[in-house]
Amino acid sequence: MNLPQSDYNCIGQVAKHCDNEKLCIAQEQSTEFDLEQLYCNDWTDILNIWNEVNNYDPENPPLNYDLKYKLINGGTYENCAGKNVTFNGVKRVLVYYSYARYKISSGDNDTASGTVTKTSEFSIPKTRKELEDISDEYRNMGMISFEKTIKFLCANKDVFNFFDAGTCKYKCGCDCDNNCNGTRAKGYGIR
């Protein structure tokens, strides 16, 4: 998935002249090492829905298009307590996690003499610890967005029948299998 830079508007500070190649690498890593781990066995089905939404044909819309669109892009729904709540959708989860990875790697450049960190006489680079703190902040926001998306799936399990709400700790009163709904690959440091 190659999200446009505009998907990061109002999320994090991605410079207008950012290295889109590094942003793309961060998205690919987040897709494989974060979202695939978070959504566990449901990731393939979610990717299929993402493709359905992206390839929308107004003459032949997919079944339950509105809910599928919300799953990917976020929106509102009625929760198990009968209240309308908002959630961000799968795309926003990807944005948060990929931005967290981008922040860690964006200062490094591969050169003929090895990897270097960009600097200039008028700026002071952030320390590795400061970048890790920023990255962790965005990973936490990604996890909150993920949890809200899981609640949406639980509330609409009749439409998203691939989703096993019985193993979802985020559904009212359910427990979760410890092997799902978590990510360990931060992109830096030891797990």
Side-chain angles (χ1 to χ4, degrees):
M1 279 172 243
N2 193 3
L3 301 177
Q5 188 174 337
S6 62
D7 282 337
Y8 293 85
N9 290 350
C10 300
I11 298 296
Q13 191 176 14
V14 178
K16 293 193 185 321
H17 57 277
C18 86
D19 188 333
N20 285 321
E21 188 174 320
K22 288 180 183 178
L23 192 57
C24 181
I25 290 168
Q27 289 171 12
E28 288 301 315
Q29 289 175 349
S30 292
T31 299
E32 184 173 343
F33 298 109
D34 296 319
L35 272 68
E36 189 173 312
Q37 298 297 312
L38 287 168
Y39 289 102
C40 212
N41 297 328
D42 300 322
W43 182 239
T44 302
D45 293 306
I46 290 171
L47 280 177
N48 290 335
I49 291 170
W50 192 313
N51 287 330
E52 277 185 70
V53 169
N54 280 345
N55 298 318
Y56 172 72
D57 176 8
E59 299 296 319
N60 189 21
L63 187 61
N64 298 308
Y65 175 77
D66 291 344
L67 287 175
K68 290 177 179 179
Y69 181 88
K70 283 182 180 182
L71 173 63
I72 303 305
N73 296 293
T76 60
Y77 70 97
E78 189 175 298
N79 69 8
C80 59
K83 305 268 186 199
N84 281 336
V85 293
T86 61
F87 73 107
N88 294 327
V90 176
K91 185 189 290 185
R92 183 68 63 89
V93 176
L94 175 59
V95 167
Y96 281 127
Y97 275 95
S98 60
Y99 185 73
R101 287 182 178 275
Y102 175 78
K103 290 306 287 182
I104 290 294
S105 65
S106 65
D108 295 334
N109 284 328
D110 187 30
T111 69
S113 58
T115 302
V116 299
T117 301
K118 297 184 285 190
T119 61
S120 76
E121 60 183 290
F122 301 110
S123 63
I124 300 170
K126 294 269 189 201
T127 66
R128 179 71 178 188
K129 175 66 175 128
E130 289 172 315
L131 290 174
E132 289 173 359
D133 289 345
I134 292 168
S135 179
D136 285 344
E137 178 184 341
Y138 280 91
R139 288 176 58 79
N140 287 337
M141 287 186 269
M143 179 56 78
I144 291 167
S145 292
F146 163 74
E147 290 171 350
K148 289 179 178 182
T149 303
I150 290 296
K151 290 177 183 179
F152 171 78
L153 283 168
C154 287
N156 294 285
K157 62 186 175 202
D158 54 326
V159 171
F160 303 109
N161 56 10
F162 62 86
F163 182 69
D164 183 8
T167 62
C168 174
K169 74 177 178 180
Y170 304 105
K171 183 180 181 298
C172 304
C174 294
D175 292 326
C176 182
D177 180 289
N178 290 331
N179 296 325
C180 298
N181 302 332
T183 177
R184 299 174 308 282
K186 293 198 286 190
Y188 64 88
I190 299 172
R191 286 196 240 179

